[in-house]
Amino acid sequence: DIQMTQSPSSLSASVGDRVTITCRASQSISNYLNWYQQKPGKAPKLLIYTSSNLQGGVPSRFSGSGSGTDFTLTISCLQPEDFASYYCQQSHSTPLTFGGGTKVEIK
Amino acid sequence: EVQLVESGGGLVQPGGSLRLSCAASGFSFDSYWMSWVRQAPGRGLEWVAQINQDGSVKYYVDSVKGRFTISRDNAKNSLFLQMNSLTAEDTAVYYCARDHIVGATNFDDWGQGTLVTVSS
């Protein structure tokens, strides 16, 4: 199974900050990496698919990059509605696996 | 508008069974792979099972193989998860997720989730 490791597990940031979350796969997954946002009590929402493609309706302040084993989600200018948990997920092979999540909290 | 509405969750005793349903609307259901994803209380996301468009291909996470069965009824735009031999470790919110048509998996629409609690 492919293990997905996210870091940090949590971070505190202020509105307007640039935030970077990393995700590392235990083996190469090419660009088969998706990112989701989840707010408390809500279903996850797809932000980025295949590493760098912005899902429709997602603000352009979100971006993704990486290939192979190392990936990054960047929020260029944090907004109040971005305080949430973020998960990466590999779609290279089953079992499909998620990272442990990163909780972005208000500083 | 895409809608996925799960039902069938509840409290069940260890060793018991439960059948989850997901009613889909607003898209061509029989064109998409579909998946179930769960989230234990206070924990992260875990993919559970996946099924292709005509139900002929199914994949499961190891922890549910032999106990859970994913199925679909395209005529009724419905996805199902039959869960048997439930344990406390299966306690979670279960989400129905729209998967892909072709190419790589991504879950671009999700239901609101249904809570399954396994406890005596």
Side-chain angles (χ1 to χ4, degrees):
Chain A
D1 299 1
I2 299 174
Q3 310 303 318
M4 306 301 295
T5 303
Q6 277 183 247
S7 61
S9 56
S10 65
L11 66 90
S12 295
S14 300
V15 172
D17 283 354
R18 181 182 182 90
V19 168
T20 299
I21 299 168
T22 64
C23 180
R24 175 165 288 177
S26 60
Q27 64 186 74
S28 178
I29 57 171
S30 184
N31 66 340
Y32 294 112
L33 191 283
N34 306 314
W35 289 97
Y36 301 85
Q37 176 194 66
Q38 187 181 32
K39 297 182 179 179
K42 300 294 186 183
K45 171 187 174 182
L46 178 66
L47 297 176
I48 303 282
Y49 61 96
T50 49
S51 181
S52 60
N53 295 284
L54 196 67
Q55 175 69 353
V58 174
S60 58
R61 63 180 178 273
F62 291 91
S63 63
S65 65
S67 66
T69 61
D70 294 317
F71 300 86
T72 299
L73 173 70
T74 299
I75 311 172
S76 60
C77 182
L78 200 65
Q79 297 300 299
E81 60 268 30
D82 301 337
F83 292 96
S85 293
Y86 293 85
Y87 295 90
C88 62
Q89 174 247 324
Q90 65 83 15
S91 58
H92 178 272
S93 55
T94 58
L96 307 172
T97 47
F98 289 87
T102 296
K103 187 172 184 180
V104 177
E105 298 176 305
I106 302 172
K107 183 182 285 184
Chain B
E1 179 195 4
V2 172
Q3 279 204 311
L4 299 167
V5 180
E6 301 94 337
S7 60
L11 176 63
V12 60
Q13 292 190 337
S17 299
L18 216 51
R19 188 189 195 215
L20 305 184
S21 300
C22 172
S25 61
F27 67 101
S28 182
F29 180 72
D30 58 5
S31 295
Y32 285 82
W33 288 68
M34 296 293 294
S35 279
W36 288 97
V37 177
R38 67 184 178 183
Q39 187 169 35
R43 305 293 297 274
L45 300 168
E46 181 184 36
W47 169 79
V48 174
Q50 183 184 50
I51 188 169
N52 75 334
Q53 288 92 337
D54 66 4
S56 61
V57 178
K58 304 176 185 181
Y59 300 109
Y60 300 92
V61 68
D62 280 350
S63 60
V64 309
K65 280 181 185 173
R67 300 189 300 123
F68 289 13
T69 302
I70 189 171
S71 62
R72 66 192 296 163
D73 183 340
N74 287 341
K76 296 184 178 179
N77 290 342
S78 295
L79 177 72
F80 305 101
L81 186 67
Q82 177 66 43
M83 305 186 295
N84 300 329
S85 303
L86 286 161
T87 74
E89 287 65 45
D90 297 315
T91 293
V93 173
Y94 285 74
Y95 295 102
C96 163
R98 191 175 78 166
D99 206 312
H100 64 294
I101 296 179
V102 293
T105 283
N106 62 73
F107 306 124
D108 67 349
D109 274 287
W110 299 64
Q112 83 288 351
T114 187
L115 177 61
V116 172
T117 303
V118 184
S119 175
S120 55

